[in-house]
Amino acid sequence: MANEEKPKQKIGFTIIKDDPIDGHRGFGVGALSLENVSPVIIDVEEGTASIEIGAMHARSDLERGIKFTTDRADSEGGKPYWLVWVTIDFKEDGPYYAGMTACEMIVNREKRRGFKILADHVNKMDKSMKRHIIVDHMDDDSKKVLADFLATHNKEMWERSEPKLHVDLGVDSPGL
């Protein structure tokens, strides 16, 4: 009997699509839904932005093959990026950009090293999901890239977004 080990129970993170309490009160009630959160990666030097779904689990193309540490010196000489958590919510007149938080990331491809603070990335995703807008620490050029990307991606969602988002991204009017 001593040699028989009980298999460890695995407690997985369940992602439930749509409304977890719509129609039933069983398993999943109150579970967290990540359905309306998208990671956008901004390449600071190139001035580009793209949606990278792999970043939800730290597996974007940018992050593959990179060993991340919390020591900036490890990734010295690398390229700066912003990982922006964008949360979409719905109003009566349609969807809008409701939460937005930016996280710093540096990647040095040659050294295969990178800098990021995972706890910050997780906390910022949580803040975005709670409809916070935290982009004030971003550089102005990156804010403009993000604003242009969001407005181009879906003009109606951009126009329905809260004025605070436009102001924090350095754009006074929703029309750019």
Side-chain angles (χ1 to χ4, degrees):
M1 264 195 221
N3 290 345
E4 290 180 31
E5 290 184 32
K6 284 187 178 179
K8 287 186 181 179
Q9 280 195 332
K10 293 180 182 177
I11 300 174
F13 188 81
T14 306
I15 297 175
I16 299 174
K17 295 190 88 43
D18 302 321
D19 185 355
I21 59 172
D22 186 26
H24 70 81
R25 298 271 178 235
F27 176 77
V29 171
L32 194 57
S33 172
L34 301 178
E35 186 170 272
N36 297 326
V37 179
S38 298
V40 174
I41 293 184
I42 297 175
D43 183 324
V44 175
E45 291 176 3
E46 300 293 325
T48 59
S50 60
I51 296 171
E52 291 280 347
I53 296 301
M56 288 293 288
H57 304 286
R59 289 192 175 94
S60 66
D61 289 342
L62 176 66
E63 296 165 294
R64 287 185 199 277
I66 302 295
K67 179 179 173 22
F68 284 96
T69 68
T70 57
D71 184 358
R72 287 178 188 273
D74 290 345
S75 59
E76 193 174 337
K79 283 181 69 170
Y81 295 90
W82 291 105
L83 171 58
V84 182
W85 298 109
V86 178
T87 300
I88 295 168
D89 203 351
F90 296 86
K91 296 180 179 181
E92 282 183 25
D93 54 344
Y96 70 105
Y97 300 119
M100 196 158 306
T101 56
C103 312
E104 185 182 12
M105 198 162 49
I106 299 170
V107 174
N108 187 322
R109 279 264 159 235
E110 287 180 14
K111 292 182 180 178
R112 297 182 60 176
R113 293 285 183 265
F115 165 81
K116 74 177 175 182
I117 300 171
L118 187 59
D120 181 53
H121 286 229
V122 171
N123 290 335
K124 292 263 176 71
M125 181 173 69
D126 180 60
K127 296 261 191 220
S128 178
M129 291 170 63
K130 291 177 178 169
R131 313 307 185 249
H132 292 271
I133 297 169
I134 306 171
V135 294
D136 53 322
H137 56 295
M138 292 176 71
D139 59 284
D140 290 341
D141 290 341
S142 294
K143 286 181 190 179
K144 174 145 182 39
V145 167
L146 181 59
D148 290 345
F149 175 79
L150 295 171
T152 304
H153 182 70
N154 189 311
K155 187 175 188 219
E156 292 78 21
M157 286 189 350
W158 172 255
E159 290 173 352
R160 282 190 285 268
S161 296
E162 300 298 323
K164 177 181 176 15
L165 175 64
H166 302 149
V167 170
D168 287 2
L169 290 176
V171 180
D172 290 333
S173 67
L176 286 177

